[in-house]
């Protein structure tokens, strides 16, 4: 879903935080006429970084029936180019008479940690006919238990109710006479952490990493290929930490905490001449209080955007009170092992299907499905506005307010609550990074004006929240009209509140229709309740027509402003 070109206001969408099963890598286009090896995996992962060993598997795809593998051959090379030219300079299994397709471990090969390897496979059938080579796949192995880490466990100063810290380290990646060829980061942020390089979040979809372990025995580390983010000369690594599963003192008891959040990170830069440089956590790193005031897996996250420090993860001298880090205390894991599993990822955005006010004046959003998720908030509000979101799985007996007993309050003693304090400098978008919730319903309080409701697909709110922006309603109608004119309707009759459109026409045609429609006159009610679209009578339950008429009468909805916005959008 694309959320862009929208009017000022509060938009609320939900991104699912679910355990990813991975994304199938392309197997090189159409299947061969007969048989080929596809779905190449290492340690049952697609093109993984930092696995503990090379354990190779594949599937067979065939148009023929009763195909049986009778032999296989694997080639491994130090580069994709070498592999494609048939130079298997790392390992060549030669033809092996076997029907085995799972967990093949190359014998006699010692793989260098951090180095990228490329591999391919071909198989023979019962008629001793060989397939073409598969599409290349890749992997790298990470440090093993015998690896001598140069990194140290570090943390910040902690007091009562201390916010989560920013941590940073600047370094110069230049190396006279040679250039960086590859840069890999090994990181374990306990309880969980986000990695930044030169101001960019390295993996936005990956959350609550690393996975939970018995921390007194071992902890997982993650591997990131950051080669493309590395700059010539000055660079900066940044990390934000959360409590995760490591520190649970806010919900259960002090006995459930292993200590305060801490970080171990080692970056290895390999240059074209074979030399290496290591940037690791040590006493030269600095920290400053960050905008995450608290972050608990069960209780929720509190974030004050006014405490953000511009450029904190970029080269240069950011503002703020930066201090030297401290050696970590608490439980230090006895060993580090690579996390050989798919991480928790934000996988999907879900729009609310209904919105109403409860008797206390709070806004209730119904997302139509019970999910493990976090809210995504887009807002334009005055500085200091505190927005509070509480979540639950069911409504009370009156079906107007949320029954919070459904989220384990009896066990945790807390209601799932996220808070965001607005910076007030324009449109702000926020998603909690260090918590997650199980819920269908969300209660929003603290907003001085009515929020927008996102009603599905790539369409937006029906009623403006700030100013004269009925452009949203116009845009909604235009998309619907385009869908009807171009034969692109994709309504889901099973979910009448959730309009889904699958835009298959080319973009130029779509925008031309939008431009044509923008020049026409519209009936105010038709803007929000187009009669030709099924199920739109249902929206009257969510947004009474008298409210729309009142908005137009009071000048809240400005037709000319809407048209101009569309013209600008098209241009």
């Amino acid at each position: 879903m694309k959320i862009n070109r929208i009017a000022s206001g509060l938009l609320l969408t939900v991104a699912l935080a679910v355990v990813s099963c991975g994304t199938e890598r392309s197997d090189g286009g159409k299947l061969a006429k007969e048989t080929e090896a596809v779905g190449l995996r290492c340690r049952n992962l697609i093109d993984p970084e930092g696995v503990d060993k090379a354990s190779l598997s594949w599937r067979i795809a065939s148009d023929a029936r009763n195909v049986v593998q009778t032999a296989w051959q694997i080639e491994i090379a130090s580069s994709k180019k070498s592999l494609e030219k048939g130079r298997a300079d790392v390992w060549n299994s030669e033809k092996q008479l076997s029907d085995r397709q799972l967990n093949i471990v190359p014998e006699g090969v010692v793989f260098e940690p951090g180095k990228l390897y490329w591999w391919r496979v071909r198989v023979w059938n019962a008629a001793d006919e060989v397939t073409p080579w598969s599409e290349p796949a890749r992997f790298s192995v990470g440090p093993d238990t015998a690896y001598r880490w140069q990194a140290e466990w570090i943390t910040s100063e902690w007091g009562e109710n201390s916010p989560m810290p920013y941590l940073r380290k600047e370094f110069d990646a230049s190396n006279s006479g040679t250039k960086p060829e590859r840069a890999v980061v090994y990181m374990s942020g306990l309880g969980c952490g986000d990695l930044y390089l030169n101001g960019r979040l390295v993996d936005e979809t990956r959350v609550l990493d690393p996975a939970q372990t018995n921390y007194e025995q071992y902890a997982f580390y993650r591997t990131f290929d950051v080669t493309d983010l590395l700059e010539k000369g000055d660079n900066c690594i940044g990390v934000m930490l959360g409590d995760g599963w490591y520190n649970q003192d806010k919900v259960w008891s002090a006995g459930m905490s292993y200590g305060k959040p801490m970080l171990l990170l080692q970056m290895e830069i390999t240059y074209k001449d074979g030399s290496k440089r290591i940037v690791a956590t040590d006493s030269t790193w600095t920290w400053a209080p960050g905008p995450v005031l608290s972050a608990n897996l069960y209780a929720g996250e509190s974030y004050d955007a006014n405490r953000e420090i511009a450029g904190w993860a970029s080269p240069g001298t950011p503002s703020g009170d930066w201090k030297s880090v401290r050696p970590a205390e608490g439980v230090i894991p006895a060993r580090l092992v690579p996390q050989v599993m798919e991480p928790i990822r934000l996988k999907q955005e879900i729009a609310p299907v209904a919105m109403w006010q409860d008797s206390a004046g709070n806004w209730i959003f119904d997302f139509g499905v019970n999910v493990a998720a976090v809210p995504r908030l887009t807002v334009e509000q005055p500085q200091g506005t505190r927005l509070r979101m509480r979540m639950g799985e069911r409504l009370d007996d009156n079906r107007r307010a949320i029954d919070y007993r459904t989220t384990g309050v009896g066990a945790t003693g807390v209601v799932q609550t996220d808070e965001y304090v607005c910076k007030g400098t324009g449109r702000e978008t926020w998603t909690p990074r260090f918590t997650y919730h199980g819920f269908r319903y969300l209660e929003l309080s603290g907003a001085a004006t009515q929020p927008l409701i996102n009603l599905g697909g790539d369409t937006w709110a029906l009623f403006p929240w700030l100013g004269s922006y009925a452009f949203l309603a116009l845009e909604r109608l235009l998309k619907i009209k385009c869908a009807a004119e171009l034969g692109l309707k994709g309504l889901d009759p099973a979910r009448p509140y959730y309009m889904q459109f699958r835009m298959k026409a080319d973009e130029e045609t779509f925008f031309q229709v939008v431009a044509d429609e923008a020049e026409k006159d519209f009936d105010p009610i038709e803007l929000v309740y187009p009669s030709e679209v099924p199920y739109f009578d249902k929206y009257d339950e969510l947004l009474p027509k008298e409210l729309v008429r009142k908005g137009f009468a009071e000048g809240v909805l400005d037709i000319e402003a809407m048209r101009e916005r569309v013209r600008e959008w098209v241009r």
Side-chain angles (χ1 to χ4, degrees):
M1 182 195 319
K2 295 181 179 178
I3 302 181
N4 52 14
R5 306 185 184 97
I6 57 177
S8 300
L10 174 67
L11 265 167
L12 191 61
T13 61
V14 168
L16 292 184
V18 298
V19 178
S20 166
C21 295
T23 303
E24 285 295 334
R25 183 177 57 84
S26 169
D27 293 312
K30 292 186 65 177
L31 292 176
K33 291 182 179 180
E34 293 298 330
T35 305
E36 63 180 341
V38 299
L40 278 62
R41 290 174 177 255
C42 178
R43 286 293 268 143
N44 202 33
L45 299 169
I46 298 172
D47 295 340
E49 292 281 358
V51 295
D52 54 346
K53 62 180 179 180
S55 177
L56 310 178
S57 307
W58 61 89
R59 295 182 288 107
I60 294 176
S62 180
D63 293 339
R65 300 169 69 97
N66 302 319
V67 173
V68 177
Q69 173 188 301
T70 60
W72 55 265
Q73 181 182 3
I74 294 174
E75 290 185 342
I76 304 178
S78 58
S79 70
K80 185 178 182 181
K81 186 176 181 180
S82 293
L83 186 67
E84 291 174 338
K85 289 186 175 182
R87 295 198 298 267
D89 56 351
V90 176
W91 190 63
N92 187 340
S93 70
E94 303 296 344
K95 183 179 180 180
Q96 301 294 314
L97 298 179
S98 170
D99 62 356
R100 187 176 172 188
Q101 298 171 234
L102 300 175
N103 303 324
I104 307 296
V105 177
E107 297 180 359
V109 182
V110 177
F111 294 101
E112 180 183 344
K115 183 176 177 59
L116 195 61
Y117 295 93
W118 293 84
W119 70 286
R120 63 182 182 177
V121 62
R122 61 180 178 177
V123 302
W124 283 260
N125 63 13
D128 202 33
E129 298 170 331
V130 66
T131 67
W133 285 107
S134 68
E135 289 294 308
R138 65 183 187 270
F139 68 88
S140 72
V141 298
D144 58 20
T145 54
Y147 182 80
R148 298 185 63 180
W149 292 85
Q150 295 186 28
E152 304 168 3
W153 287 101
I154 62 172
T155 189
S156 62
E157 297 176 9
W158 295 95
E160 188 175 358
N161 299 321
S162 292
M164 297 294 137
Y166 286 131
L167 298 110
R168 73 190 303 268
K169 169 68 176 181
E170 290 194 47
F171 64 96
D172 186 350
S174 59
N175 190 350
S176 179
T178 186
K179 296 180 179 179
E181 187 174 63
R182 180 166 161 84
V184 177
V185 171
Y186 306 114
M187 170 179 158
S188 183
L190 303 181
C192 51
D194 281 343
L195 173 65
Y196 291 76
L197 183 59
N198 295 326
R200 294 179 59 184
L201 180 58
V202 172
D203 191 339
E204 183 179 1
T205 68
R206 191 167 182 159
V207 294
L208 300 179
D209 252 1
Q212 185 180 17
T213 58
N214 294 324
Y215 297 108
E216 69 277 7
Q217 299 176 24
Y218 69 99
F220 288 132
Y221 70 83
R222 300 163 288 162
T223 303
F224 299 91
D225 179 358
V226 296
T227 308
D228 292 341
L229 297 179
L230 197 66
E231 300 286 350
K232 297 179 181 178
D234 293 337
N235 290 259
C236 182
I237 301 175
V239 173
M240 293 182 70
L241 292 176
D243 282 328
W245 286 272
Y246 184 79
N247 182 30
Q248 277 298 330
D249 60 346
K250 291 184 177 66
V251 168
W252 302 111
S253 66
M256 293 296 291
S257 173
Y258 290 83
K260 295 298 185 181
M262 60 183 184
L263 171 68
L264 183 141
L265 181 150
Q266 186 155 311
M267 180 181 189
E268 296 188 359
I269 306 172
T270 303
Y271 295 87
K272 290 186 180 296
D273 64 358
S275 62
K276 291 181 179 289
R277 178 170 184 186
I278 292 178
V279 180
T281 45
D282 58 19
S283 60
T284 64
W285 283 57
T286 57
W287 74 276
V292 180
L293 304 182
S294 64
N296 185 274
L297 290 172
Y298 300 94
E301 182 173 326
S302 180
Y303 189 99
D304 186 347
N306 297 280
R307 299 175 64 97
E308 293 176 343
I309 299 177
W312 73 273
S314 298
T317 305
S319 60
D321 183 16
W322 292 89
K323 301 178 181 178
S324 296
V325 296
R326 292 186 167 192
E329 300 177 350
V331 174
I332 305 296
R335 58 193 176 97
L336 288 169
V337 297
Q339 180 169 301
V340 187
M341 65 182 72
E342 292 286 358
I344 299 175
R345 290 191 183 277
L346 304 179
K347 293 288 291 183
Q348 179 186 357
E349 288 189 357
I350 298 179
V353 299
M355 179 186 76
W356 64 88
Q357 278 186 292
D358 64 15
S359 59
N362 302 313
W363 292 99
I364 308 297
F365 292 82
D366 177 5
F367 290 92
V369 61
N370 198 5
V371 290
V374 287
R376 175 162 292 170
L377 189 70
T378 299
V379 61
E380 186 168 342
Q381 284 281 274
Q383 183 180 17
T385 301
R386 182 180 292 271
L387 301 171
R388 186 179 72 165
M389 291 160 282
R390 302 197 299 172
M391 281 66 72
E393 296 181 355
R394 299 180 61 183
L395 299 176
D396 62 15
D397 293 339
N398 296 324
R399 299 198 59 76
R400 299 299 296 174
I402 299 175
D403 182 356
Y404 297 107
R405 296 174 299 176
T406 58
T407 57
V409 173
T412 64
V414 296
V415 175
Q416 300 177 130
T417 304
D418 293 331
E419 290 187 328
Y420 181 78
V421 181
C422 298
K423 188 163 46 177
T425 56
R427 184 175 304 147
E428 305 169 48
T429 298
W430 176 69
T431 301
R433 298 288 303 175
F434 305 122
T435 188
Y436 81 102
H437 312 294
F439 68 101
R440 170 176 171 174
Y441 301 96
L442 181 146
E443 173 199 280
L444 173 69
S445 61
T449 47
Q450 179 173 337
L452 298 168
I453 175 174
N454 182 326
L455 285 174
D458 55 353
T459 58
W460 294 281
L462 294 181
F463 199 72
W465 196 30
L466 297 173
S468 57
Y469 291 112
F471 163 72
L472 297 180
L474 174 61
E475 185 180 41
R476 181 175 187 81
L477 177 61
L478 294 178
K479 288 178 181 289
I480 292 167
K481 284 182 176 293
C482 291
E485 289 187 38
L486 301 175
L488 303 173
K489 283 190 291 187
L491 304 180
D492 181 354
R495 301 181 66 184
Y497 293 106
Y498 196 174
M499 309 301 290
Q500 297 178 331
F501 298 98
R502 302 291 182 261
M503 302 307 298
K504 300 176 183 177
D506 66 277
E507 196 173 68
E508 183 178 349
T509 302
F510 174 68
F511 284 151
Q512 185 57 52
V513 176
V514 171
D516 293 341
E517 291 292 338
E519 300 299 328
K520 300 177 182 178
D521 292 328
F522 291 94
D523 175 73
I525 296 304
E526 180 68 9
L527 280 172
V528 186
Y529 300 90
S531 57
E532 74 272 23
V533 179
Y535 308 121
F536 254 82
D537 59 310
K538 296 291 185 180
Y539 290 123
D540 192 35
E541 302 173 15
L542 307 179
L543 184 62
K545 293 181 180 180
E546 53 267 25
L547 282 180
V548 180
R549 291 193 177 92
K550 185 173 184 290
F552 277 101
E554 295 179 356
V556 177
L557 307 183
D558 188 331
I559 293 290
E560 283 304 315
M562 294 192 311
R563 288 183 183 143
E564 183 56 33
R565 288 290 296 271
V566 173
R567 294 185 190 108
E568 292 176 1
W569 178 41
V570 173
R571 288 196 292 266

